[in-house]
C-alpha cells in the first residue's frame, strides 16, 4: 500500500510513528511543510523536515518533541556572547550540524529535496521524506504590535511571541511561485491513500496545499483522502492552531476544520470521541466522519489512530 | 609607544601576552597571518586571527594553545555522523560560533578586517588586531604523497599530515594579488617599533611579508625592526618550522632565519642563550644580535623576552 502523508512538525511526526507501527509494510511518502523554514545565522533551518527526520530516525528530543536528544547549547551561548541573535530560537549544537550540512549542500547547488534525501541516508526514517517544494516559501504573519501593524516571520510569531497576539493574516510568501518538489506530484498520483495527520491546518497542511498543483493533484488522485482533527473539544491538542485558524476565519472546532478543507479535497475525517456530536455536521458537509480517540499519548494510541484512518479510507473506497 | 607585531598563531599570541605585560601602556597593532585560513563546512575559519583573539581575550584552551577553553565537540561528532569531513580539523562547538558569525558577516558584505574588529569587541584583546589582507590568501604546500606530486592546503599539510612528508614548495596562493587590509600600512608607517615574534618565518611572518606593500613599508618605516628566533638549538621551539624552512632552502638555525629575513628588513635579532655562538654570524650579516632566554615557559618569561626585544630596538635606534 502506498500512503502519502502531508506533514508539519511535531503532530505530523508523531502520527507518522504511529502509522509505521500500524502499517509496517506500507510504502510511505511524506510531503513536508517548508513554510516554517528560516535563515538563522546564515544557515538554512527546516524545522518541520528535521522534526520528521529526527522523530522517525530516533534522534528527537522526545520530551519537547523537536530538536535533538542529548543536546548541548554551546554554539548558541557563544553567538549570544557575540551579540548575535535571535536568542529566542533554540538551536542546539547537534542540531546546528544538520543546518551546516544543509547550507553547505544548498550553496553547492543541490536542491532542498536532494539535500533532504542525503540527510535521511543517515537517519533512515523509514519513509520517503520530500519537501513540498525546492523553492523558498516562508510563512509570514500580519500582527499588530505596540499599535503598529507588522508582518513577521512565522517563527517569530510562533516561537518568540508564542502566538500571544492575534494573527490578522497568514501568508505563505513565495508559495504562489513555488513548484512542487520532484516526486511530490508523482507520489500523489501513485498513492492508494492520502492522509492529513493532526497537523496545523493553516501553517502546516495549509501551506503545503498552497503550492500550486498539490491541492489539485490530491483532489484528482481518485483515492481516499482522510484527515485527523488537530482540534479536540474546541482547542488544539498541541500548539496554538486556534490563533492561526482565526486569521483565516475558521472556528477552532473539529467540524469547522473539516469544512475548511472541504469535501472537494477530503473524503473522510476523524474527530475525537469528545467531539462525537460534530460527526453529523461533517457528514452533512459531504465528508464521511467517525469519532475515535485522537490523543497521541503514546505510539500505541497513535497507531490505533492510524489504523482508524486507514479503515475509514477503505470504507470510503468501498 | 606604538608597536606593530606581525603574528602567526600560538607563538605570536603567547609573545603578545608577554609584550602586554612588559609594555602595558603601549599601543599595539597586530598584523595577523590569514594564509592558513580555510573554508570548512561552508564556514570561513581564520585559525591565526582566532588564536590571537582567544589568547589575549582569555578564551583560549591554554593547554593546546589553540581553540576554546571549556570546549565540546558535538557539532563535529554530528558532521562525522553525516559523513561530512574533514575529521582531522578539530573545530569545537564554541569555536564554531566564531566561524558562523564571521561567515555570516562576510556573506553580508563586510570585509574580514571589519569582521575581525566586530569579533574583537567581544574579546577585548587589548591590541588592535588586523588581518594582513581582506583578500583571500591561502597557503598551499607541494608534497609528494604515494609517489604523486600534490598541492595541498597548508592545514592539510600541517594538521592532517603533521608535516610528516617533505614540503617541496610553500605557495601563498593569492598573495601577489592581495592588498594590505585597511590600517596595515598606516600602522606600520606610524610605528615606533616593529616586532617579529617567534612565529613561523615561512608560513606565518613570511606570508604576511608576501602581501605586496607590507615588506616595503616595514623596510621603509625608518624605525627599529626586531625579531625573536623561533629556532632554538637548531630545532623549532614549537611546531614544525624546520619542515617549511627546508622548502625555501633555509637551514633550521637561529642565524639562518635572521639571514633569511635579511638586514634590509631586520635591524635586531634575539637568539636563545644556547645559540649564543650564532651572534657573530648574525652581526656579520648586518643585524644586531643578542642571546637571551627565548623559551616562553610562562608569561613572566615571555614578558622578559619582550623587554629584551624592546631594549634591543632602543639600542638599534640609538
Amino acid at each position: 500500500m502506498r500512503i502519502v502523508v502531508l506533514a508539519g512538525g511535531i503532530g505530523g511526526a508523531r502520527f507518522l510513528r504511529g502509522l509505521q507501527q500500524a502499517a509496517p509494510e506500507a510504502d510511505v511518502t511524506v510531503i513536508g511543510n517548508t513554510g516554517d523554514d528560516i535563515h538563522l545565522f546564515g544557515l538554512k533551518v527546516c524545522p518541520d523536515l528535521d522534526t520528521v527526520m529526527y522523530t522517525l530516525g530516533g534522534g528527537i528530543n522526545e520530551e519537547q518533541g523537536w530538536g535533538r536528544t542529548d543536546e548541548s547549547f554551546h554554539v548558541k551561548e557563544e553567538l549570544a556572547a557575540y551579540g548575535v541573535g535571535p536568542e529566542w530560537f533554540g538551536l542546539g549544537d547537534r542540531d546546528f550540524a544538520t543546518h551546516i550540512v544543509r547550507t553547505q549542500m544548498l550553496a553547492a547547488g543541490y536542491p532542498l529535496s536532494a539535500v533532504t534525501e542525503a540527510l535521511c541516508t543517515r537517519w533512515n526514517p523509514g519513509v520517503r521524506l520530500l519537501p513540498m517544494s525546492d523553492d523558498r516559501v516562508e510563512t509570514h504573519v500580519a500582527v499588530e504590535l505596540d499599535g503598529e501593524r507588522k508582518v513577521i516571520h512565522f517563527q517569530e510569531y510562533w516561537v518568540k511571541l508564542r502566538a500571544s497576539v492575534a494573527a490578522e493574516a497568514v501568508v505563505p510568501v513565495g508559495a504562489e511561485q513555488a513548484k512542487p518538489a520532484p516526486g511530490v506530484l508523482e507520489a500523489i498520483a501513485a498513492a492508494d491513500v492520502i492522509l492529513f495527520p493532526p497537523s496545523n491546518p493553516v501553517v502546516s497542511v495549509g501551506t503545503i496545499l498552497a503550492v500550486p498543483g498539490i491541492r489539485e493533484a490530491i483532489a484528482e488522485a481518485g483515492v481516499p483522502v482522510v484527515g485527523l482533527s488537530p482540534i479536540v473539544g474546541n482547542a488544539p491538542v498541541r500548539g496554538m492552531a486556534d490563533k492561526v485558524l482565526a486569521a483565516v476565519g475558521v472556528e477552532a472546532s473539529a467540524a469547522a476544520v473539516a469544512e475548511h478543507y472541504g469535501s472537494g479535497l477530503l473524503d473522510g475525517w476523524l474527530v475525537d470521541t469528545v467531539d462525537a456530536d460534530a460527526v453529523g455536521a461533517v457528514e452533512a458537509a459531504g465528508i464521511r466522519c467517525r469519532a475515535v480517540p485522537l490523543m497521541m499519548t503514546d505510539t500505541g494510541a497513535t497507531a490505533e489512530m492510524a489504523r482508524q484512518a486507514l479503515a475509514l479510507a477503505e470504507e470510503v473506497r468501498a
Side-chain angles (χ1 to χ4, degrees), chain A:
Chain A
M1 185 166 53
R2 285 159 301 190
I3 306 175
V4 165
V5 181
L6 273 54
I10 301 176
R14 291 195 169 162
F15 175 76
L16 283 163
R17 194 151 58 178
L19 178 64
Q20 286 183 319
Q21 186 174 311
E25 302 300 320
D27 173 354
V28 179
T29 297
V30 177
I31 302 173
N33 172 41
T34 57
D36 64 345
D37 290 4
I38 185 167
H39 282 79
L40 292 171
F41 316 111
L43 301 172
K44 169 82 162 175
V45 180
C46 300
D48 281 1
L49 294 180
D50 288 350
T51 294
V52 170
M53 188 172 77
Y54 293 160
T55 300
L56 302 185
I60 199 78
N61 178 322
E62 291 288 346
E63 206 169 321
Q64 67 189 13
W66 53 269
R68 292 290 314 280
T69 187
D70 187 24
E71 190 56 292
S72 56
F73 291 87
H74 293 149
V75 176
K76 187 172 191 265
E77 268 175 51
E78 295 294 321
L79 291 169
Y82 280 117
V84 171
E87 294 194 35
W88 48 263
F89 203 85
L91 290 184
D93 297 333
R94 295 188 187 281
D95 201 21
F96 257 109
T98 301
H99 313 315
I100 289 171
V101 174
R102 177 186 291 121
T103 305
Q104 190 180 10
M105 286 191 71
L106 290 170
Y110 292 94
L112 183 61
S113 50
V115 174
T116 304
E117 191 180 348
L119 294 173
C120 283
T121 59
R122 170 185 174 193
W123 291 103
N124 293 308
V127 299
R128 185 171 177 219
L129 177 60
L130 301 175
M132 64 189 200
S133 178
D134 280 337
D135 301 318
R136 184 166 170 174
V137 178
E138 274 191 13
T139 303
H140 283 70
V141 181
V143 293
E144 203 179 290
L145 273 181
D146 310 321
E148 249 183 292
R149 193 149 191 270
K150 285 186 179 173
V151 178
I152 58 178
H153 191 285
F154 169 70
Q155 296 293 358
E156 189 174 346
Y157 180 70
W158 208 247
V159 179
K160 185 183 179 192
L161 299 180
R162 305 292 307 157
S164 56
V165 295
E168 295 176 4
V170 177
V171 184
V173 178
E176 274 179 37
Q177 293 76 41
K179 288 182 298 296
V184 166
L185 297 183
E186 293 80 351
I188 293 170
D192 298 308
V193 177
I194 298 169
L195 300 178
F196 295 0
S199 287
N200 189 306
V202 182
V203 295
S204 295
V205 178
T207 309
I208 301 171
L209 295 172
V211 176
I214 294 184
R215 175 188 288 273
E216 296 75 5
I218 293 172
E220 293 160 13
V223 296
V225 179
V226 171
L228 297 93
S229 177
I231 304 289
V232 169
N234 301 324
V237 175
R238 188 182 169 111
M240 303 151 285
D242 48 332
K243 304 289 182 162
V244 288
L245 279 167
V248 295
V250 175
E251 193 187 71
S253 78
V257 173
E259 288 168 43
H260 170 63
Y261 284 132
S263 62
L265 193 66
L266 212 55
D267 302 304
W269 186 243
L270 293 180
V271 301
D272 189 79
T273 45
V274 306
D275 296 312
D277 58 358
V279 169
V282 175
E283 296 226 313
I287 298 163
R288 197 170 291 229
C289 186
R290 295 287 173 269
V292 299
L294 286 190
M295 302 304 282
M296 298 193 281
T297 43
D298 55 42
T299 307
T302 310
E304 184 52 30
M305 288 165 55
R307 265 181 225 108
Q308 294 288 348
L310 294 174
L312 184 55
E314 291 317 307
E315 212 181 301
V316 166
R317 194 192 312 275

